[in-house]
């Protein structure tokens, strides 16, 4: 990362945090290299076609389990990206500047408080989004091979966050919220704790309610003992399954399966039902969640500048 073309407070910010910024870029490149090597290893053993027409992995393909394990770790690791950014911006980048008094030196160099904060937000957001772009490319490279396997469906957390705009929106919110928390608290460790808590609560809340943004699709079938249970279509996300009683009431958690004896016998049952979100719901859900996050990020950024102006008017 070269700072030769940068000027003013942006150049100062890049120089000040150059090691962290280099580390962020190196993380993206390392992820791309690891997934790329595993994809090449996996490609050395093409899938084979069985006598009944199915394609299966070559029994000597030892690269695929490694690739799948790396993608599983990748899926779990991306959850921590917004946390890491919020902690860094709130603590070392903003709060520590006030705690140590370093920001006063910047303000004596003909740099306005607004320009000082803007430079930090610009550098943090640019580097974070650039690194995320590389990470997304690495993830997509591996996901095309492991897609639709266990924990690698479009609605699973990893693919949902990375393969769409949601994670980028979380990154922008982490930058803006981290700056706001750092300005309000001005104590490094406390600011980091609050920023991490805010990020975690936001992610948990949206994770809990994101599949309520759109109404699920319902399919139904005959409620007959020893009949096949209704199945979620390929790639779909099960929301609820149950029975439709004679009075039209839906009883969740019951079903008539091919094992027999599961269907209720205490009152008449007319049908089975199953609610699910098809794959086509993933992108609209991502866009709705992204809109919510961007609105929160804009409010946090606006509040951060207002707090700064109020304290340095």
């Amino acid at each position: 990362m070269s700072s030769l073309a940068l000027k003013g407070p942006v150049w100062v910010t890049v120089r000040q945090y150059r090691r962290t910024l280099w580390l962020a870029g190196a993380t993206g490149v390392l992820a791309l290299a690891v997934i790329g090597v595993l994809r090449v290893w996996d490609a050395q053993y093409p899938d084979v076609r069985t006598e009944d027409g199915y394609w299966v992995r070559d029994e000597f393909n030892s690269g695929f389990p490694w690739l799948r394990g790396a993608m599983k770790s990748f899926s779990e690791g991306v959850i921590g990206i917004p946390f890491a950014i919020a902690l860094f911006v709130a603590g070392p980048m903003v709060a520590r500047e006030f705690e140590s008094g370093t920001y006063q030196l910047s303000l004596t160099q003909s740099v306005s408080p607004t320009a000082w904060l803007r430079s930090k937000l610009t550098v943090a957001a640019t580097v974070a989004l650039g690194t995320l772009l590389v990470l997304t490319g690495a993830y997509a490279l591996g996901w095309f091979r492991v897609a639709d396997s266990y924990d690698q469906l479009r609605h699973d957390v990893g693919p949902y966050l990375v393969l769409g705009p949601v994670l980028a929106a979380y990154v922008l919110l982490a930058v803006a919220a981290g700056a706001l928390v750092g300005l309000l608290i001005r104590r490094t460790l406390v600011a980091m704790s609050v920023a991490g808590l805010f990020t975690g609560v936001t992610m948990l809340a949206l994770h809990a309610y994101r599949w309520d943004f759109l109404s699920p699709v319902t399919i139904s079938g005959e409620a007959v003992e020893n009949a096949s249970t209704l199945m979620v279509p390929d790639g779909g996300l099960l929301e609820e399954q149950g029975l439709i009683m004679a009075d039209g009431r839906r009883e969740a958690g019951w079903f008539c399966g091919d094992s027999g004896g599961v269907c209720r016998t205490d009152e008449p049952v007319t049908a089975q039902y199953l609610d699910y979100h098809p794959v086509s719901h993933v992108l609209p859900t991502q866009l709705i969640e992204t809109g919510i996050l961007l609105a929160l990020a804009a409010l946090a950024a606006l509040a951060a500048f207002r707090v700064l102006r109020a304290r340095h008017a």
Side-chain angles (χ1 to χ4, degrees):
M1 181 185 303
S2 174
S3 58
L4 294 177
L6 302 177
K7 298 180 181 179
V10 173
W11 181 85
V12 173
T13 301
V14 170
R15 289 286 299 171
Q16 189 176 7
Y17 303 104
R18 60 188 180 279
R19 293 182 180 177
T20 303
L21 303 183
W22 272 109
L23 179 61
T27 300
V29 173
L30 178 62
L32 184 61
V34 169
I35 299 300
V37 168
L38 292 177
R39 284 285 280 125
V40 171
W41 184 7
D42 172 65
Q44 303 305 309
Y45 304 90
D47 291 348
V48 295
R49 194 180 185 92
T50 62
E51 294 181 355
D52 52 6
Y54 291 99
W55 289 93
V56 298
R57 290 191 305 275
D58 189 311
E59 61 178 319
F60 299 105
N61 185 352
S62 56
F64 182 84
W66 281 90
L67 174 63
R68 201 189 175 292
M71 289 298 295
K72 186 176 187 301
S73 298
F74 206 151
S75 295
E76 296 169 350
V78 295
I79 300 174
I81 293 176
F83 283 96
I85 295 170
L87 294 180
F88 178 73
V89 174
M93 189 169 261
V94 176
R96 191 168 64 187
E97 294 273 309
F98 288 97
E99 193 172 29
S100 64
T102 308
Y103 81 100
Q104 294 176 335
L105 178 62
S106 299
L107 299 184
T108 62
Q109 306 299 315
S110 300
V111 175
S112 68
T114 299
W116 173 83
L117 180 59
R118 187 189 304 118
S119 68
K120 293 188 176 296
L121 294 179
T122 299
V123 171
T126 301
V127 174
L129 290 177
T131 303
L132 181 59
L133 182 62
V134 178
L135 290 174
T136 299
Y139 191 90
L141 181 64
W143 188 80
F144 288 137
R145 174 58 172 155
V146 303
D148 297 330
S149 60
Y150 179 69
D151 277 345
Q152 293 297 329
L153 299 173
R154 282 293 280 116
H155 57 72
D156 287 323
V157 176
Y160 177 87
L161 289 176
V162 182
L163 301 176
V166 177
L167 191 55
Y170 271 114
V171 164
L172 293 176
L173 176 59
V175 171
L180 175 60
V181 170
L183 286 167
L184 289 172
I185 296 178
R186 302 190 176 196
R187 292 292 182 270
T188 304
L189 294 180
V190 179
M192 292 174 70
S193 300
V194 173
L197 178 62
F198 172 81
T199 303
V201 169
T202 302
M203 295 188 75
L204 286 174
L206 288 175
H207 176 74
Y209 292 105
R210 67 171 53 117
W211 297 112
D212 294 330
F213 296 155
L214 300 176
S215 299
V217 175
T218 300
I219 56 177
S220 59
E222 189 177 5
V224 179
E225 292 289 0
N226 300 320
S228 296
T229 305
L230 294 174
M231 301 296 292
V232 179
D234 290 343
L237 172 64
L238 175 65
E239 280 288 293
E240 185 177 279
Q241 185 175 8
L243 301 175
I244 301 176
M245 314 311 290
D247 59 2
R249 188 177 74 258
R250 301 200 339 169
E251 288 286 343
W254 296 83
F255 61 90
C256 299
D258 51 16
S259 60
V262 182
C263 215
R264 294 186 62 165
T265 58
D266 56 335
E267 57 181 305
V269 177
T270 59
Q272 302 181 74
Y273 76 92
L274 184 150
D275 294 340
Y276 76 101
H277 287 286
V279 178
S280 60
H281 280 192
V282 173
L283 180 57
T285 301
Q286 288 177 322
L287 294 177
I288 294 171
E289 186 169 351
T290 298
I292 294 172
L293 292 168
L294 291 179
L296 291 175
L299 290 174
L302 178 62
F305 281 103
R306 285 183 176 273
V307 169
L308 186 67
R309 292 192 187 100
R311 294 187 174 183
H312 295 275

